[in-house]
Amino acid sequence: MSAEKLRLDKYLWAIRIFKTRTQAAAACDTGKVKLRGTAVKAARPVVVGDQYDVRTEAKRWKIEVTGLLANRVQYSEAIKYYLDITPEEDKLFNQRIASSFDTGKRQSKIGRPTKKERRDLDDFMKED
């Protein structure tokens, strides 16, 4: 594949906006990647100078393409291929989202008991 024709989903994956190319393609298909306010498809060719609005699970980005990158590289190299021009209000939104992250632990007394809680219940019931 020549450097002049690079798919949008592959570019977003290569610059590490998305963890997988499948996630990048899905974001394009669901309208979370926009060029000048219009949703774009995953197969759209990327051109240097394009500005994309990208919404991921945790962040809102506005990026400008400064170079084409077809293969995924380490973060310190990938940031050289785009310019982060995210507006200030979106940066504040990103900080709010990051500060209230989910730890993955379940809330107390909601849902099924954990294995430890189940053992404690069994021990309690046997003592009758």
Side-chain angles (χ1 to χ4, degrees), residues 16-48:
R16 297 181 167 267
I17 300 288
F18 293 98
K19 282 188 177 183
T20 65
R21 189 166 163 193
T22 304
Q23 286 176 341
C28 292
D29 293 341
T30 57
K32 293 183 178 170
V33 180
K34 296 183 179 185
L35 175 66
R36 292 185 222 101
T38 306
V40 291
K41 293 185 177 181
R44 186 187 190 288
V46 178
V47 179
V48 173

